[in-house]
Each structure stands twice: as structure tokens, then as C-alpha cells.
Amino acid sequence: MRAFTYERASSPQQAARAVSERQGAKFIAGGTNLIDLMKIEVETPTHLVDVNGLGLESIEPTEEGGLRIGALVSNTALAAHETVRRDYAVLTRAIVAGASGQLRNKATTAGNLLQRTRCSYFYDINQPCNKRSPGSGCAAIEGYSRPLGILGVSEKCIATYPGDMAVAMRVLDAVVETVKPDDSTRAIPIAEFHRTWETAPEKDNVLEPGELITAVTLPKPLGGTHIYRKVRDRASYAFALVSVAAVIQPDGTGRFAVGGIGSKPWRREDADAQLRNGATAAARVLTQGASTTEDNAFKVPLVERTLAAVLAEARAKGNAA
């Protein structure tokens, strides 16, 4: 690990300014991803700004009937929150499907959204990687690509966004709230937060330098049956090959997003509209434009089979109600 300096921020605005004013500076909260990357010198920040003391740990109702989740709410606290479990159950289920209990105790809401890809070539500093070193190439395209992306990818990068929580937030139409170094704020729909890799794959999201996430807002509850199904190589502590977050209504309509297949949680409203016609029709629309390798082509039919299992589970729960 390379040497770095450190400071504790006193306010969100001061934290944003501190990072923007110092080249190579980064925010740190739980550190569950950043510290690992620093140890292997994939990330080499010159300065860390600790945001843990900013009072962003609350979960509160909004005037619109939704929920505002502070950026520093731990994954454990968010998954266990009574309102989340009752009204946004897909979010609880997605969070519990990720990582381990120890990591969920430390991981934060904002940090979870910002976690970087787990592509093995990104983690290996001896391999070319455009995410790690822009312009160096993508070793994954001609290498081992089984866990990697088929949507939102390009000849520059085929990495996947690895998280579970954001897949559920995409289904729920969450909004990411931020503050900038000039004290201005903005609200970014989760659909627009993560990027695709056609250009600048080193940029995972649309945040500007020094822009700090302060909260994530959920709209009022959707009702329906909430399901999160994750297909992975082992039963626990593994990233998704394919995951499906879904909210299915009693009449068979609903919405779904898929993880493990793209540069970001993948959802298409025109695929949602096909749910009443079954998994095959909906999955076909969702995976339009997929760019596969010999190793990961299986993900296209796996999306359909996973969605079919989700719809069958929703019907079974509806019949039992």
C-alpha cells in the first residue's frame, strides 16, 4: 500500500471541497472495497477524506410517501429496517444476498453503489485494463470472460457492475442525492447513475470530481410480490452470474432488473411490458443487443431461466395468499 494523507470531514460540503481541491483524493467510509484495492495498488489515492462523522446514517419517510436513506446507513441496518422489510422487500433480499454479515455491517449505502468491478483483469496490475489504465487495452476480451458482461460493453471493456443492492434500487426507481464542491446539489435517477463502456470505461458513474453522495431516496411503495433471485457459482459469498430483482403485481404485470450481465443494473421498461407474456418474451427484449463471448454466451438463456423461476415463485406466492 502506498503512503497517503488523511483527514476527517466536518460537513458534506467540506468533504466535497477537500476531495476536489487535492489531486488523487478520495472519500472513505466503510472501506470494504477501497482498502482492498489500495492493498494491491489498483487504487492509489494520495489523500483520504473520512466522511463517517457527517450524520448521514438516518432512514426517514419523505413527504411523498417514500423513504430517504442516508449515504452512511450500513447495509445491515438498511436490510433490517422495518419499513424496508415491509414495503421494499426486494431491497432487503438483494442486500442479504450479497457479501457476508461482517461486510454488510461495515458497507454503506453510498459505498455499495460505488463499488468497482470484480473483473480479475482489473484486479491484476500486470494485465492491461482500460478501467485501471485508460488506453492500455482489455485483457478480458481475449481472456477468461465467463463472469463478465454482455450488455453495456464495448471493445474497450466487458466488465460487469458487481453489486446486488443497486439491482433492487433500479427496480424501485431510486434517486441518488449528491452535493458538489460548490455547495450545489442534484438528484440523479438510478437509471442514469452508472455508465456503459462505449467511452471512458475508467468512469463507473456520472459523479463529477468531488461530488459526494448524501442520500438515496425511494418513491412510495409499489406493492406486489418482491423477489430477488441470484444465480452464482457457489451458495454464498459469490458475485452473481445472473440476478433478477422483480416486483410482480397480482395481475401478472410488474417490473424487473437484472444484475451480473452488464456495466450497470440492466432494466428496460419495454421488457417490463412483456412480463404478462412470460419470461421468454420479457428476457428476449431485455437482452437485445447482447455482445457475448464464447465463455459468457450462456448468460442470455440463463436470464430467461432465472426470470422464469422468479415468475413461477411470484405465482406460487400469489396463489398462497
Side-chain angles (χ1 to χ4, degrees), residues 5 11 31 88 93 96 105 125 163 175 202 204 211 248 254 270 284 294 308:
T5 52
S11 70
Y88 305 96
R93 289 169 180 162
V96 172
N105 288 342
I125 61 174
V175 174
E202 71 276 12
D204 294 337
E211 190 169 9
I248 308 299
D270 54 350
R284 183 181 295 121
E294 183 178 353

Side-chain angles (χ1 to χ4, degrees), residues 28-252:
I28 187 167
T32 57
N33 190 201
L34 178 60
I35 297 300
D36 282 346
L37 293 174
M38 290 172 65
K39 288 178 180 177
I40 57 176
E41 297 191 357
V42 170
E43 293 275 14
T44 55
T46 59
H47 185 65
L48 293 182
V49 178
D50 190 332
V51 297
N52 280 295
L54 303 185
L56 303 176
E57 302 94 353
S58 63
I59 302 175
E60 301 172 336
T62 66
E63 292 182 358
E64 296 75 23
L67 207 61
R68 189 172 187 270
I69 304 159
L72 296 175
V73 173
S74 74
N75 284 179
T76 295
L78 181 56
H81 193 273
E82 181 180 2
T83 302
V84 176
R85 293 177 63 191
R86 183 187 66 234
D87 296 335
Y88 305 96
V90 65
L91 182 55
T92 289
R93 289 169 180 162
I95 291 171
V96 172
S100 66
Q102 294 93 330
L103 285 170
R104 292 194 296 270
N105 288 342
K106 291 294 293 181
T108 63
T109 299
N112 197 303
L113 290 175
L114 296 172
Q115 65 183 299
R116 308 212 67 188
T117 184
R118 264 55 179 193
C119 175
S120 59
Y121 298 97
F122 172 71
Y123 271 70
D124 184 351
I125 61 174
N126 296 308
Q127 298 287 342
C129 172
N130 286 320
K131 290 189 73 62
R132 192 182 64 248
S133 179
S136 64
C138 176
I141 291 176
E142 298 298 329
Y144 179 70
S145 56
R146 182 173 181 273
L148 300 179
I150 62 174
L151 289 165
V153 299
S154 72
E155 72 281 355
K156 295 182 175 67
C157 182
I158 59 171
T160 51
Y161 173 79
D164 294 287
M165 183 191 78
V167 184
M169 287 189 168
R170 179 66 184 91
V171 164
L172 296 170
D173 286 331
V175 174
V176 181
E177 298 180 2
T178 70
V179 63
K180 296 183 182 182
D182 63 2
D183 292 355
S184 64
T185 61
R186 65 169 171 161
I188 308 167
I190 191 75
E192 301 170 11
F193 183 77
H194 296 103
R195 301 179 70 256
T196 56
W197 308 145
E198 284 84 358
T199 59
E202 71 276 12
K203 297 179 181 179
D204 294 337
N205 53 64
V206 299
L207 294 180
E208 299 172 6
E211 190 169 9
L212 175 69
I213 297 175
T214 55
V216 176
T217 302
L218 303 178
K220 62 183 181 181
L222 295 168
T225 300
H226 290 220
I227 297 171
Y228 188 76
R229 181 174 288 261
K230 182 175 181 178
V231 180
R232 44 192 164 179
D233 281 328
R234 58 178 185 267
S236 67
Y237 200 65
F239 296 99
L241 293 170
V242 166
S243 64
V244 173
V247 177
I248 308 299
Q249 302 299 334
D251 64 358

